[in-house]
Amino acid sequence: MRVHIATDHAGLELSAHLITHLAAKGFKMVDHGPTAYDAEDDYPSFCINAALAVVADRAAGLDSLGIVLGGSGNGEQIAANKVVGIRAALAWNLDTARLAREHNDANVVAVGGRQHSLEEATEIIEAFLAEPFSNVERHIRRISKIATYETTGEVVA
């Protein structure tokens, strides 16, 4: 599986750790930056580029997910969710990480680097990457309604 990762300055240490750790587990890691610490960096471009790459990979039939990191993960999740076709979920424990995949077929996970220890954050992200989508009809239906609104502006009841 290819994993696109992006961060801001607050998640840079976690990002570096995850790139090494997940690559050792066999994931093909693609780093969308930043490459150096800058307390004044602007995360949206990094996160949007990672999300665009996830969408492009999936359109090409590749197994691909994304990780966006920040101090809280909130802004990074918002940025990623602006990309059509992305369902980014903020995960703060193992259950929210697994449910994001199982129920929502989330294709990007957001985690706050300042909210967790390195070990906790790694476990949350590994749980997200390992969990398959359930393919349960009610979840498919709900995701379809979100996609319809995203592409047409129509709110389906």
Side-chain angles (χ1 to χ4, degrees), residues 3-16 18-19 22 29-35 41-54 65-71 73 75-77 79-80 108-113 125:
V3 177
H4 296 275
I5 189 166
T7 189
D8 74 351
H9 59 278
L12 196 58
E13 179 184 340
L14 176 57
S15 179
L18 289 169
I19 289 167
L22 294 173
M29 301 301 295
V30 181
D31 186 4
H32 292 271
T35 58
D41 67 9
D42 292 327
Y43 61 84
S45 60
F46 304 126
C47 296
I48 290 168
N49 283 330
L52 287 167
V54 170
L65 292 171
I67 301 167
V68 293
L69 307 167
E76 295 75 19
Q77 175 202 26
V108 172
V109 64
V111 173
I125 289 164

Side-chain angles (χ1 to χ4, degrees), residues 14 71-72 90-94 96 110-122 124:
L14 176 57
S72 69
L90 180 64
W92 62 89
N93 60 30
L94 295 175
T96 57
V111 173
R114 292 181 177 156
Q115 310 305 311
H116 308 281
S117 69
L118 201 63
E119 295 77 22
E120 282 178 330
T122 301
I124 289 168

Side-chain angles (χ1 to χ4, degrees), residues 100-115:
R101 291 283 304 132
E102 181 185 352
H103 289 188
N104 306 110
D105 198 16
N107 45 24
V108 172
V109 64
V111 173
R114 292 181 177 156
Q115 310 305 311

Side-chain angles (χ1 to χ4, degrees), residues 99-149:
L99 288 170
R101 291 283 304 132
E102 181 185 352
H103 289 188
N104 306 110
D105 198 16
N107 45 24
V108 172
V109 64
V111 173
R114 292 181 177 156
Q115 310 305 311
H116 308 281
S117 69
L118 201 63
E119 295 77 22
E120 282 178 330
T122 301
E123 287 178 2
I124 289 168
I125 289 164
E126 286 180 332
F128 177 85
L129 295 174
E131 189 69 33
F133 177 52
S134 66
N135 280 304
V136 171
E137 189 280 328
R138 73 179 186 274
H139 299 308
I140 293 169
R141 182 182 68 243
R142 293 166 184 163
I143 293 166
S144 176
K145 289 180 178 188
I146 294 168
T148 297
Y149 177 77

